[in-house]
Amino acid sequence: MTDLNEIHTTRLLLRQWKPADRAPFAAMNADPRVMRHFPALLSRAESDAMADRCQALIKERGWGFWAVEAKATGTFIGFVGLHTPSAALPFSPCVEIGWRLAAAHWGQGLASEAARAALEVGFGSLDLPEIVSFTAIENRRSRAVMERLGMRESEEFEHPGLPVGHPLRRHCLYRLERERFAALLTAAD
């Protein structure tokens, strides 16, 4: 198991979940702006169950969707990390990178900053050959983060977890290979 209890960036700490994260996480999951590209808002019980799953997977594997804390304030702002989707997706098996931040923290480059750190873990410590990300077609904010990370749009697909005819069923897949990420890091130096 890889031990990645804390990952530091310039402004952020990616860490294991704490009990104090539950209330702000539930507020975030009940915010229609944050959940616009998800099938439904989450109740407090559903949000807590998700946090519990994230925490358990990190404890079990050493990595997952980490809680993200702003270093300057110690405030929980959302999650970012790596996950193995359980849905039978057309491109499974895979490891995805994902994020969800409270709306107050959008537009500051925080999702990109945290996601870059998660990619470094995925391609470095975990030695993954590829990491994917996917979202509903109309989720322009997340797609912009994927593109800033150097991910390339690969294909569109119907998400099997959503019923036929659901407005969010059509998704797009982005891919990033280890070699491309390494080249992007080298070019940035």
Side-chain angles (χ1 to χ4, degrees), residues 131-172:
I131 297 173
V132 303
S133 193
F134 51 91
T135 189
I137 293 287
E138 67 273 1
N139 189 347
R140 289 278 161 211
R141 295 182 77 88
S142 278
R143 292 177 72 174
V145 172
M146 294 171 198
E147 290 166 9
R148 279 192 295 277
L149 295 171
M151 303 186 94
R152 294 182 187 158
E153 188 173 357
S154 170
E155 63 194 74
E156 293 184 6
F157 68 99
E158 302 285 322
H159 196 293
L162 296 169
V164 173
H166 192 285
L168 298 176
R169 184 171 164 94
R170 195 91 188 127
H171 271 53
C172 53

Side-chain angles (χ1 to χ4, degrees), residues 55-171:
Q55 184 177 26
L57 284 170
I58 292 170
K59 184 175 181 181
E60 175 188 322
R61 297 186 305 208
W63 55 274
F65 284 144
W66 291 282
V68 179
E69 179 179 306
K71 284 182 176 180
T73 62
T75 304
F76 170 88
I77 66 167
F79 73 77
V80 175
L82 305 169
H83 181 68
T84 304
S86 58
L89 299 168
F91 43 87
S92 293
C94 63
V95 173
E96 70 164 312
I97 185 165
W99 47 83
R100 187 179 304 168
L101 299 184
H105 304 284
W106 293 355
Q108 302 170 45
L110 298 173
S112 297
E113 182 177 325
R116 266 189 211 89
L119 288 171
E120 288 178 15
V121 168
F123 291 128
S125 302
L126 302 178
D127 198 29
L128 297 171
E130 177 185 68
I131 297 173
V132 303
S133 193
F134 51 91
T135 189
I137 293 287
E138 67 273 1
N139 189 347
R140 289 278 161 211
R141 295 182 77 88
S142 278
R143 292 177 72 174
V145 172
M146 294 171 198
E147 290 166 9
R148 279 192 295 277
L149 295 171
M151 303 186 94
R152 294 182 187 158
E153 188 173 357
S154 170
E155 63 194 74
E156 293 184 6
F157 68 99
E158 302 285 322
H159 196 293
L162 296 169
V164 173
H166 192 285
L168 298 176
R169 184 171 164 94
R170 195 91 188 127
H171 271 53

Side-chain angles (χ1 to χ4, degrees), residues 35-64:
M35 300 302 286
R36 178 177 174 199
H37 300 289
F38 291 91
L41 302 178
L42 299 184
S43 69
R44 175 63 191 256
E46 290 167 329
S47 182
D48 286 351
M50 183 178 182
D52 290 343
R53 284 190 306 276
C54 290
Q55 184 177 26
L57 284 170
I58 292 170
K59 184 175 181 181
E60 175 188 322
R61 297 186 305 208
W63 55 274

